[in-house]
């Protein structure tokens, strides 16, 4: 039984390396894109509010553009949520190796 567990642990090691690399790449791209997406969402929000205040856009169009700005803002947060799930998988695999 101990030999089978050792073989499975050796097979899991490359999986841990792959999941760790996916996590690191995801963290890099998420942190980089968060700045860009937040600036883009803020700019869209300000332009939408200015257009509504000056009467350039109607109420329904303003709400639609605000929804788009919110979606652009929330995309990096969804990516961070996914990276947390990948980290949980990574720590679970590491705990399996340690056991």
């Amino acid at each position: 039984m101990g030999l089978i567990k050792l073989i499975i642990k050796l097979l899991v090691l490359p999986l841990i390396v792959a999941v760790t690399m996916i996590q690191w790449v995801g963290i890099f791209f998420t942190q980089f894109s968060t700045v860009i997406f937040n600036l883009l969402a803020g700019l869209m929000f300000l332009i939408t509010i200015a257009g509504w205040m000056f009467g350039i856009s109607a109420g329904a169009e303003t709400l639609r553009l605000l929804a788009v700005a919110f979606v652009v803002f929330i995309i990096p947060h969804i990516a961070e949520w996914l990276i947390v799930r990948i980290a949980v998988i990574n720590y679970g695999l590491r705990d399996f190796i340690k056991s």
Side-chain angles (χ1 to χ4, degrees):
M1 187 66 173
L3 182 63
I4 295 173
K5 192 171 183 180
L6 179 66
I7 292 171
I8 292 174
K9 285 182 182 184
L10 288 174
L11 291 174
V12 170
L13 280 175
L15 185 61
I16 290 174
V17 171
V19 170
T20 302
M21 292 305 292
I22 291 170
Q23 181 182 352
W24 288 352
V25 169
I27 289 171
F28 173 75
F29 283 126
T30 301
Q31 295 302 319
F32 181 71
S33 68
T34 299
V35 173
I36 295 170
F37 275 73
N38 284 343
L39 287 174
L40 183 61
L43 184 64
M44 289 173 62
F45 176 78
L46 291 176
I47 289 172
T48 302
I49 295 299
W52 178 69
M53 288 176 63
F54 290 117
I56 296 172
S57 61
E61 185 180 345
T62 301
L63 289 177
R64 195 173 324 124
L65 290 172
L66 286 176
V68 170
F70 177 73
V71 168
V72 170
F73 174 76
I74 205 74
I75 288 173
H77 296 286
I78 294 170
E80 288 176 10
W81 179 82
L82 289 173
I83 290 172
V84 168
R85 298 302 174 252
I86 291 171
V88 167
I89 292 170
N90 194 4
Y91 291 134
L93 290 172
R94 288 178 187 210
D95 285 341
F96 173 72
I97 291 292
K98 291 179 185 177
S99 67

